[in-house]
PDB file of all heavy atoms in Angstrom:
ATOM      1  N   ARG A  23     135.885 105.412  93.124  1.00 95.00           N
ATOM      2  CA  ARG A  23     137.210 105.853  93.562  1.00 95.00           C
ATOM      3  C   ARG A  23     137.061 106.415  94.966  1.00 95.00           C
ATOM      4  O   ARG A  23     136.423 107.446  95.164  1.00 95.00           O
ATOM      5  CB  ARG A  23     137.763 106.912  92.619  1.00 95.00           C
ATOM      6  CG  ARG A  23     139.197 107.300  93.009  1.00 95.00           C
ATOM      7  CD  ARG A  23     139.686 108.486  92.226  1.00 95.00           C
ATOM      8  NE  ARG A  23     139.776 108.204  90.811  1.00 95.00           N
ATOM      9  CZ  ARG A  23     140.044 109.130  89.894  1.00 95.00           C
ATOM     10  NH1 ARG A  23     140.220 110.381  90.268  1.00 95.00           N
ATOM     11  NH2 ARG A  23     140.107 108.817  88.627  1.00 95.00           N
ATOM     12  N   ILE A  39     132.884 112.615  87.057  1.00 96.00           N
ATOM     13  CA  ILE A  39     131.979 113.568  87.694  1.00 96.00           C
ATOM     14  C   ILE A  39     131.005 114.177  86.691  1.00 96.00           C
ATOM     15  O   ILE A  39     129.808 114.290  86.938  1.00 96.00           O
ATOM     16  CB  ILE A  39     132.797 114.657  88.424  1.00 96.00           C
ATOM     17  CG1 ILE A  39     133.570 114.023  89.591  1.00 96.00           C
ATOM     18  CG2 ILE A  39     131.888 115.777  88.924  1.00 96.00           C
ATOM     19  CD1 ILE A  39     134.546 114.958  90.281  1.00 96.00           C
ATOM     20  N   MET A  40     131.544 114.544  85.518  1.00 97.00           N
ATOM     21  CA  MET A  40     130.709 115.221  84.519  1.00 97.00           C
ATOM     22  C   MET A  40     129.564 114.298  84.072  1.00 97.00           C
ATOM     23  O   MET A  40     128.405 114.711  84.036  1.00 97.00           O
ATOM     24  CB  MET A  40     131.583 115.585  83.326  1.00 97.00           C
ATOM     25  CG  MET A  40     131.097 116.757  82.567  1.00 97.00           C
ATOM     26  SD  MET A  40     131.893 118.253  83.123  1.00 97.00           S
ATOM     27  CE  MET A  40     133.353 118.221  82.091  1.00 97.00           C
ATOM     28  N   ARG A 294     136.738 130.378  81.193  1.00 95.00           N
ATOM     29  CA  ARG A 294     136.547 128.945  81.458  1.00 95.00           C
ATOM     30  C   ARG A 294     137.107 128.505  82.796  1.00 95.00           C
ATOM     31  O   ARG A 294     136.787 127.442  83.285  1.00 95.00           O
ATOM     32  CB  ARG A 294     137.308 128.132  80.395  1.00 95.00           C
ATOM     33  CG  ARG A 294     136.601 128.009  79.081  1.00 95.00           C
ATOM     34  CD  ARG A 294     137.495 127.226  78.126  1.00 95.00           C
ATOM     35  NE  ARG A 294     136.786 126.862  76.913  1.00 95.00           N
ATOM     36  CZ  ARG A 294     136.112 125.737  76.755  1.00 95.00           C
ATOM     37  NH1 ARG A 294     136.033 124.858  77.731  1.00 95.00           N
ATOM     38  NH2 ARG A 294     135.503 125.472  75.614  1.00 95.00           N
ATOM     39  N   GLN A 295     138.013 129.311  83.360  1.00 96.00           N
ATOM     40  CA  GLN A 295     138.697 128.836  84.562  1.00 96.00           C
ATOM     41  C   GLN A 295     137.835 129.005  85.806  1.00 96.00           C
ATOM     42  O   GLN A 295     137.370 130.104  86.100  1.00 96.00           O
ATOM     43  CB  GLN A 295     140.020 129.587  84.762  1.00 96.00           C
ATOM     44  CG  GLN A 295     140.832 129.027  85.925  1.00 96.00           C
ATOM     45  CD  GLN A 295     142.247 129.579  85.980  1.00 96.00           C
ATOM     46  OE1 GLN A 295     142.556 130.601  85.354  1.00 96.00           O
ATOM     47  NE2 GLN A 295     143.097 128.908  86.729  1.00 96.00           N
ATOM     48  N   ARG A 298     137.841 129.154  93.041  1.00 96.00           N
ATOM     49  CA  ARG A 298     137.599 128.168  94.093  1.00 96.00           C
ATOM     50  C   ARG A 298     137.407 128.854  95.438  1.00 96.00           C
ATOM     51  O   ARG A 298     137.686 130.046  95.591  1.00 96.00           O
ATOM     52  CB  ARG A 298     138.791 127.210  94.181  1.00 96.00           C
ATOM     53  CG  ARG A 298     139.216 126.592  92.846  1.00 96.00           C
ATOM     54  CD  ARG A 298     138.308 125.485  92.397  1.00 96.00           C
ATOM     55  NE  ARG A 298     138.773 124.893  91.134  1.00 96.00           N
ATOM     56  CZ  ARG A 298     138.205 123.846  90.553  1.00 96.00           C
ATOM     57  NH1 ARG A 298     137.147 123.275  91.086  1.00 96.00           N
ATOM     58  NH2 ARG A 298     138.677 123.377  89.419  1.00 96.00           N
ATOM     59  N   LYS A 350     145.618 136.419  89.740  1.00 95.00           N
ATOM     60  CA  LYS A 350     144.938 136.643  88.472  1.00 95.00           C
ATOM     61  C   LYS A 350     143.553 137.240  88.748  1.00 95.00           C
ATOM     62  O   LYS A 350     142.912 136.866  89.723  1.00 95.00           O
ATOM     63  CB  LYS A 350     144.779 135.279  87.799  1.00 95.00           C
ATOM     64  CG  LYS A 350     144.753 135.305  86.301  1.00 95.00           C
ATOM     65  CD  LYS A 350     145.211 133.951  85.775  1.00 95.00           C
ATOM     66  CE  LYS A 350     144.172 133.309  84.916  1.00 95.00           C
ATOM     67  NZ  LYS A 350     144.567 131.948  84.516  1.00 95.00           N
TER      68      LYS A 350
ATOM     69  N   GLN B  29     143.706 110.518  84.560  1.00 93.00           N
ATOM     70  CA  GLN B  29     142.692 109.682  85.221  1.00 93.00           C
ATOM     71  C   GLN B  29     142.472 110.137  86.663  1.00 93.00           C
ATOM     72  O   GLN B  29     141.342 110.184  87.147  1.00 93.00           O
ATOM     73  CB  GLN B  29     143.128 108.224  85.218  1.00 93.00           C
ATOM     74  CG  GLN B  29     142.777 107.518  83.928  1.00 93.00           C
ATOM     75  CD  GLN B  29     143.100 106.030  84.012  1.00 93.00           C
ATOM     76  OE1 GLN B  29     142.916 105.398  85.039  1.00 93.00           O
ATOM     77  NE2 GLN B  29     143.599 105.492  82.919  1.00 93.00           N
ATOM     78  N   ALA B  30     143.586 110.460  87.340  1.00 92.00           N
ATOM     79  CA  ALA B  30     143.471 110.897  88.736  1.00 92.00           C
ATOM     80  C   ALA B  30     142.727 112.233  88.813  1.00 92.00           C
ATOM     81  O   ALA B  30     141.930 112.453  89.719  1.00 92.00           O
ATOM     82  CB  ALA B  30     144.857 111.022  89.354  1.00 92.00           C
ATOM     83  N   ASP B  33     137.550 114.695  84.910  1.00 95.00           N
ATOM     84  CA  ASP B  33     137.163 115.558  83.783  1.00 95.00           C
ATOM     85  C   ASP B  33     137.876 116.900  83.845  1.00 95.00           C
ATOM     86  O   ASP B  33     137.668 117.679  84.774  1.00 95.00           O
ATOM     87  CB  ASP B  33     135.654 115.805  83.815  1.00 95.00           C
ATOM     88  CG  ASP B  33     134.856 114.523  83.665  1.00 95.00           C
ATOM     89  OD1 ASP B  33     135.182 113.749  82.754  1.00 95.00           O
ATOM     90  OD2 ASP B  33     133.930 114.309  84.473  1.00 95.00           O
ATOM     91  N   GLU B  38     145.687 125.971  81.108  1.00 96.00           N
ATOM     92  CA  GLU B  38     146.384 127.209  80.731  1.00 96.00           C
ATOM     93  C   GLU B  38     147.839 126.862  80.457  1.00 96.00           C
ATOM     94  O   GLU B  38     148.502 126.285  81.321  1.00 96.00           O
ATOM     95  CB  GLU B  38     146.293 128.226  81.862  1.00 96.00           C
ATOM     96  CG  GLU B  38     146.861 129.581  81.491  1.00 96.00           C
ATOM     97  CD  GLU B  38     146.723 130.545  82.662  1.00 96.00           C
ATOM     98  OE1 GLU B  38     147.331 130.278  83.711  1.00 96.00           O
ATOM     99  OE2 GLU B  38     146.000 131.525  82.526  1.00 96.00           O
ATOM    100  N   GLU B  56     142.800 122.256  85.407  1.00 96.00           N
ATOM    101  CA  GLU B  56     141.735 122.182  86.400  1.00 96.00           C
ATOM    102  C   GLU B  56     140.705 121.147  85.995  1.00 96.00           C
ATOM    103  O   GLU B  56     140.238 121.116  84.868  1.00 96.00           O
ATOM    104  CB  GLU B  56     141.044 123.554  86.539  1.00 96.00           C
ATOM    105  CG  GLU B  56     141.996 124.631  86.984  1.00 96.00           C
ATOM    106  CD  GLU B  56     141.366 125.624  87.951  1.00 96.00           C
ATOM    107  OE1 GLU B  56     140.265 125.345  88.468  1.00 96.00           O
ATOM    108  OE2 GLU B  56     141.997 126.660  88.187  1.00 96.00           O
ATOM    109  N   SER B  57     140.360 120.312  86.961  1.00 95.00           N
ATOM    110  CA  SER B  57     139.267 119.356  86.763  1.00 95.00           C
ATOM    111  C   SER B  57     138.019 119.947  87.402  1.00 95.00           C
ATOM    112  O   SER B  57     138.061 121.040  87.964  1.00 95.00           O
ATOM    113  CB  SER B  57     139.618 118.028  87.411  1.00 95.00           C
ATOM    114  OG  SER B  57     139.635 118.189  88.813  1.00 95.00           O
ATOM    115  N   ASP B  81     140.196 125.786  73.875  1.00 93.00           N
ATOM    116  CA  ASP B  81     138.799 125.517  73.530  1.00 93.00           C
ATOM    117  C   ASP B  81     138.384 124.092  73.839  1.00 93.00           C
ATOM    118  O   ASP B  81     137.200 123.785  73.906  1.00 93.00           O
ATOM    119  CB  ASP B  81     138.566 125.792  72.039  1.00 93.00           C
ATOM    120  CG  ASP B  81     138.582 127.279  71.747  1.00 93.00           C
ATOM    121  OD1 ASP B  81     138.197 128.054  72.652  1.00 93.00           O
ATOM    122  OD2 ASP B  81     139.006 127.668  70.640  1.00 93.00           O
TER     123      ASP B  81
END
Side-chain angles (χ1 to χ4, degrees):
Chain A
R23 184 189 296 173
I39 294 173
M40 207 95 87
R294 280 178 170 270
Q295 186 169 17
R298 309 283 182 176
K350 209 155 122 185
Chain B
Q29 276 186 38
D33 298 312
E38 186 179 63
E56 300 218 13
S57 68
D81 288 330

